[in-house]
Every structure is written in C-alpha cells, then in structure tokens.
Amino acid sequence: STALFHVVSASTTTGHSFIDLSAFTDNMKLFMTTLMFIGGMSLSTAGGIKVWRAMFLFKTIPWAIRQFQTNRTEEMHLEGKKINEGDVLVTLFIPIIFAGLIFVSVFVFLGKGLPMVDSLFEITSAISGTGLSVGIANIDAALELKWLLTFLMILGRIEVIPLLVALTPVKLKGK
C-alpha cells in the first residue's frame, strides 16, 4: 500500500511522500520518473505532459515509422478523427521539448557528480511540478542547480507554448 500511495502521488503529480524516496531502487525511481513525466489527465491541474499526449505519442511513433519505411503519406486516425501532420507536430512539441530539457539538465547534474537516476528523478519532478525528491533538491544544493530546478518548475507549470508566445515580439497594427 505504501508503494501504491507513492505511485499515485507521482502519477497525479500531487507530491505527497511519507518515506525516504532515496531508499527506492533505481528501477522504482525510473518507474516513478516515467509517471511524473506523463502526469495526469488532460484538463486537470496535474503536471507532466498529460496522459492524452502520452497516448498520442505512442500511437504516433508506429505511424511515423511506417511513413519512413513506405516513403508515402498515410492518414493517421485517432479516436475516429483524421489527424494531419501539422496536428502531430504541434501535439508532440511539448513532450519533445520537455524530454530535451530533461536530457540537457541531467548533464548539468552529472557535471556536479550526482547520480544519473537520482538527477533524472529530481529534474522530472521539477518540470512536472510534482515536488517529490530523493534528497538532491535541498538547502545545501549548489546554487546553479537550485536556479535550474526553479526554471524547470516555472517552465513546467506554464508549459512551453505559452512561454514562447509571451516572449515573442509582436507588432501591433494601429487603426
């Protein structure tokens, strides 16, 4: 029941923990990292890429492989609706950016001599807004790691697209 509680906490990104997560095996940490990355259901306040995007990703991968193998375009259908390539790219943008940020951030943590699985756990927890920790994110952490985790928390909370829109210079047309 303790493991189930923490699995639900990770997948819903609620961040509740009452045991030392650093004592978990690396496999359990990786499993919980995956749950935090996926996060909760669409339209929920949970973090992560959301279950719908994860399902879309898993349906898109075989479709994309067939596109490259057959060298022809094949329509993609999801829940009975035709999906065009533009929709695929837009929907996969957030998971790809999240994964890329996690990947780059892991190297920053590894550069500080921290274990890879623990680093991956902390970074994914930050970007998904979960709040679970294996002990790296603490008062004694290096300042640059704190800043990186803070940036990831903010970026994960508002997601990437709204941030890019907010930072894009727009020319207002006068009447």
Side-chain angles (χ1 to χ4, degrees):
S1 67
T2 298
L4 178 62
F5 175 86
H6 286 85
V7 163
V8 170
S9 177
S11 64
T12 58
T13 67
T14 51
H16 294 295
S17 175
F18 59 84
I19 60 174
D20 180 14
L21 298 178
S22 65
F24 280 5
T25 65
D26 282 353
N27 287 338
M28 185 62 177
K29 290 176 193 172
L30 289 172
F31 177 67
M32 290 181 67
T33 300
T34 303
L35 294 175
M36 290 186 291
F37 180 78
I38 294 171
M41 299 300 290
S42 297
L43 303 175
S44 73
T45 58
I49 64 168
K50 306 289 193 256
V51 172
W52 187 86
R53 283 189 189 117
M55 288 178 13
F56 191 84
L57 179 66
F58 286 116
K59 289 186 178 223
T60 303
I61 290 171
W63 174 80
I65 290 170
R66 282 193 307 274
Q67 300 303 311
F68 287 115
Q69 287 176 342
T70 62
N71 215 8
R72 64 184 172 96
T73 52
E74 170 187 320
E75 288 184 353
M76 181 178 170
H77 295 275
L78 185 64
E79 297 176 0
K81 297 177 186 172
K82 180 183 169 193
I83 308 294
N84 65 39
E85 289 179 18
D87 293 337
V88 170
L89 292 175
V90 168
T91 304
L92 296 181
F93 182 72
I94 289 176
I96 290 169
I97 293 296
F98 270 42
L101 286 168
I102 291 168
F103 181 77
V104 169
S105 299
V106 164
F107 283 105
V108 174
F109 277 62
L110 291 176
K112 292 291 184 183
L114 297 166
M116 187 168 91
V117 173
D118 289 351
S119 299
L120 187 62
F121 186 95
E122 292 284 340
I123 292 163
T124 305
S125 180
I127 201 165
S128 68
T130 303
L132 293 175
S133 179
V134 291
I136 293 175
N138 62 39
I139 193 77
D140 297 323
L143 184 60
E144 52 272 16
L145 297 183
K146 291 177 188 176
W147 277 110
L148 177 58
L149 290 172
T150 301
F151 170 75
L152 292 173
M153 283 185 252
I154 292 168
L155 189 61
R157 190 78 223 134
I158 62 175
E159 288 193 343
V160 178
I161 294 173
L163 180 66
L164 292 175
V165 169
L167 296 176
T168 302
V170 178
K171 292 182 181 179
L172 298 176
K173 294 182 180 181
K175 290 187 177 186

